[in-house]
Amino acid sequence: MAATKTLPHLPISHNSSVPRHGVLTLYGYGIRVNVERGHLLLEDGVGADRRTFRLPRVGHGLKRLIIIGADGFVSLAALRWLADQETAFAMLERYGKVLCVTGPVCPSDARLRRAQALAHQSGKALEIARELINQKLAGQEKVVRHKLLVTDSADTISHYRTELASADTMERIRLIESLAAGCYWSTWHNLSINFPKKDQSRVPDHWRVFGARVSPLTGSPRVAVNPANAVLNYLYCVLESESRLAAASLGLDVGLGVLHVDAPARDSLACDLMEPVRPQIDAFVLDWITRETLRREWFHEQPDGNCRLMSSLALRLAETAPTWGRAVAPFAEWLAQTLWTSIRKPTHRNRNLPTRLTQRRRTEGRGKEFFLHLEPAPQLSKICAGCGATTQRGRHCLKCGREISRDKLIELAKVGRAVAQSPESRKKVSDTQRRHEAAKRAWKSSPKATWPDEQAYVRGIQPRLTEITISRLSSALGISESYAADIRAGRRQPHPRHWPVLAQLLK
């Protein structure tokens, strides 16, 4: 299949370095991952737009290698290279499915796996499910209360959360979670999604709002039909891969869940660990779609209505993987420790499991208080609301900003002219003119001072007027601030009756 040249792709680069966050995402056709003379060679791209990377074993900075696509190869030597460097490898679909995940795996303890398999009999499954959903509802309540500002729905979710303490069956916990989810997603329904002005004619109407979380194509959140839900599905996919890695690194079986029932094609434990972190992803997406503009070229609508992410956006979203990995780590360690405590006779030396993900025990062993450091997810590009170009700051690029400012000035000028022609404004102007004319007549009939004269004003007074503020000039002379600004800048010369007042102000 030939690559089309009408779709946007990333710029070509050679011998590129790994980004600071340590996540490298490969996309396109003919993806190659192999090893040559101890270096990891990577190649991706579409058509003639290719990227190449050559990473040494020391100082490469690679933490996660993510592949979006299914055309290419990964050699066994490359997988061994990644394992030796403790680098995670993931293969994802852009519509929100994890195809393959592998990463650093520590030797597992059979007793922990046995405790995980017997969690429902020991009662630990109910305790774990209750706590995971409690943390999830707490996060959802925070999003609704502080970001969406819907107090009634936040109170309802809080009420469901209090009912978790008395939930004594897994079915009851699932019911409470589903009722809270219905209330939670109903607050998202009317959120507007912004696209650049130039893309408005090419955007389907149902893309302009968040809509329902459930897709009409599947009756579930899978296979989204609008951009906002497609972004959520993809980020949940990234989170699922991080949850799998966290569970595997602690020696847990990712397929044996406690809250999610067993399914042939699902890692239920990874889905369990995702639950308390989902609100953090929701908050990230909510901040993005309400403050920034989305490009039409980031999304593609398939013939059945499925909205898919283009590679340019999928790569940027994949860079948030370390953030979600750090967020899920403490929950994975807590879950493993809770299962470990169900063992009847653990040895004294192995009473507590090692905290490989957060290094919590090492920190506390040094007498320090442990704080989970969560770096914010990388910020996505700012898009101009007018032309869709990338901008560094603000809602518009320089070109669109100038045009918008010009149009606003024209509109304000029209409003100003209309106000100036109103009877009230004309009456004020007439009163001001009569007052000034009366002051001029009074000045002409009064005795004149010999100083200051015009030469004294031009040479001694006017150059020093910058020492006086415009508002002070306006109030002292009884004139408008615009006229005072002209006098201060030397564009206008005031009436001679004002010269003594100005000289007195400068003393």
Side-chain angles (χ1 to χ4, degrees):
M1 176 180 177
T4 176
K5 301 297 291 185
T6 61
L7 296 179
H9 306 298
L10 295 183
I12 185 171
S13 61
H14 299 283
N15 298 322
S16 303
S17 59
V18 177
R20 181 185 302 177
H21 43 70
V23 180
L24 190 57
T25 306
L26 306 181
Y27 74 101
Y29 301 92
I31 298 173
R32 298 180 58 187
V33 183
N34 63 303
V35 176
E36 180 181 289
R37 290 179 291 185
H39 289 72
L40 184 67
L41 301 183
L42 308 170
E43 183 179 345
D44 71 337
V46 177
D49 296 330
R50 310 292 294 177
R51 299 189 304 168
T52 59
F53 301 83
R54 183 180 178 89
L55 307 181
R57 295 186 186 274
V58 178
H60 52 78
L62 183 62
K63 298 178 181 178
R64 287 166 179 79
L65 178 63
I66 299 177
I67 291 181
I68 305 173
D71 185 84
F73 72 89
V74 180
S75 68
L76 296 178
L79 293 177
R80 176 60 186 270
W81 192 97
L82 295 173
D84 292 340
Q85 300 300 313
E86 297 186 351
T87 299
F89 170 79
M91 188 174 179
L92 309 178
E93 273 284 4
R94 284 176 288 176
Y95 63 83
K97 182 179 181 181
V98 181
L99 300 178
C100 174
V101 175
T102 182
V105 179
C106 298
S108 60
D109 194 320
R111 293 173 296 175
L112 178 61
R113 289 177 178 267
R114 188 175 294 110
Q116 180 183 358
L118 298 176
H120 287 275
Q121 286 76 9
S122 64
K124 291 296 180 180
L126 193 64
E127 176 185 348
I128 292 172
R130 188 184 294 117
E131 178 61 22
L132 292 179
I133 298 303
N134 178 67
Q135 294 294 330
K136 178 182 181 180
L137 297 189
Q140 290 181 341
E141 178 189 353
K142 184 178 179 181
V143 170
V144 174
R145 190 180 302 277
H146 299 294
K147 292 186 177 295
L148 294 171
L149 305 178
V150 185
T151 305
D152 295 341
S153 297
D155 294 338
T156 302
I157 296 175
S158 178
H159 173 71
Y160 286 131
R161 186 185 173 198
T162 58
E163 293 184 0
L164 280 175
S166 59
D168 54 358
T169 63
M170 201 66 69
E171 290 73 17
R172 178 61 180 169
I173 294 177
R174 295 190 186 107
L175 176 61
I176 293 175
E177 191 274 336
S178 64
L179 293 175
C183 178
Y184 175 70
W185 291 115
S186 66
T187 61
W188 289 62
H189 191 275
N190 295 323
L191 284 176
S192 60
I193 310 301
N194 300 317
F195 288 88
K197 195 178 205 178
K198 71 165 191 175
D199 291 341
Q200 293 295 329
S201 60
R202 301 189 298 122
V203 175
D205 292 339
H206 63 280
W207 282 22
R208 303 176 190 272
V209 293
F210 183 86
R213 181 71 183 111
V214 176
S215 170
L217 301 180
T218 60
S220 71
R222 297 281 184 180
V223 191
V225 295
N226 59 34
N229 281 282
V231 169
L232 272 179
N233 287 347
Y234 182 76
L235 286 177
Y236 287 158
C237 172
V238 175
L239 173 60
E240 182 182 348
S241 66
E242 294 296 321
S243 300
R244 288 189 186 186
L245 293 172
S249 64
L250 295 174
L252 295 168
D253 190 327
V254 295
L256 294 178
V258 293
L259 178 63
H260 290 79
V261 297
D262 297 338
R266 181 175 67 193
D267 289 335
S268 298
L269 184 65
C271 296
D272 292 342
L273 292 175
M274 291 172 59
E275 297 300 330
V277 187
R278 286 178 186 267
Q280 298 184 36
I281 291 182
D282 300 341
F284 172 77
V285 174
L286 181 62
D287 289 339
W288 181 41
I289 64 177
T290 54
R291 297 178 183 177
E292 303 297 338
T293 305
L294 306 186
R295 280 181 177 170
R296 173 63 178 85
E297 63 189 30
W298 284 347
F299 308 96
H300 170 66
E301 188 175 32
Q302 295 188 313
D304 62 350
N306 175 214
C307 180
R308 299 283 295 272
L309 306 185
M310 299 300 293
S311 299
S312 56
L313 178 60
L315 266 63
R316 299 293 181 260
L317 295 177
E319 295 174 356
T320 64
T323 300
W324 317 131
R326 286 188 292 268
V328 80
F331 295 106
E333 291 178 349
W334 172 83
L335 186 147
Q337 183 62 45
T338 303
L339 293 174
W340 185 252
T341 58
S342 66
I343 299 176
R344 291 185 178 180
K345 295 181 180 180
T347 62
H348 177 74
R349 184 172 62 87
N350 295 329
R351 184 172 300 172
N352 293 319
L353 289 177
T355 53
R356 300 188 182 102
L357 302 177
T358 63
Q359 304 298 322
R360 182 189 187 100
R361 290 187 59 195
R362 175 178 293 182
T363 302
E364 294 175 346
R366 295 173 178 172
K368 300 179 181 180
E369 187 176 359
F370 174 77
F371 293 99
L372 181 63
H373 178 61
L374 286 179
E375 295 182 0
Q379 294 295 321
L380 301 175
S381 302
K382 290 182 176 293
I383 304 302
C384 174
C387 63
T390 303
T391 178
Q392 296 297 326
R393 55 186 178 180
R395 286 183 51 83
H396 299 91
C397 64
L398 293 177
K399 180 181 178 181
C400 294
R402 287 193 294 266
E403 294 179 356
I404 292 174
S405 298
R406 181 190 61 198
D407 294 340
K408 286 185 177 179
L409 287 175
I410 293 174
E411 292 298 325
L412 290 174
K414 293 179 180 178
V415 173
R417 283 194 293 270
V419 172
Q421 298 301 321
S422 65
E424 295 82 3
S425 297
R426 295 181 68 85
K427 183 177 182 301
K428 289 181 180 180
V429 171
S430 299
D431 294 341
T432 302
Q433 290 177 347
R434 282 195 296 268
R435 186 174 67 253
H436 284 298
E437 290 299 326
K440 290 179 182 179
R441 288 193 298 269
W443 177 81
K444 288 181 180 180
S445 61
S446 63
K448 309 295 187 296
T450 59
W451 188 92
D453 54 9
E454 184 174 1
Q455 185 177 5
Y457 170 79
V458 173
R459 295 183 178 181
I461 297 177
Q462 200 282 326
R464 295 180 56 194
L465 290 181
T466 54
E467 302 173 9
I468 307 174
T469 62
I470 294 176
S471 60
R472 190 180 177 190
L473 280 177
S474 174
S475 59
L477 302 182
I479 58 178
S480 65
E481 290 193 355
S482 60
Y483 188 51
D486 289 341
I487 293 175
R488 186 172 181 263
R491 292 187 292 267
R492 303 287 293 271
Q493 182 173 317
H495 191 267
R497 74 180 189 278
H498 294 312
W499 295 348
V501 179
L502 296 176
Q504 187 67 28
L505 289 176
L506 293 173
K507 284 186 178 181

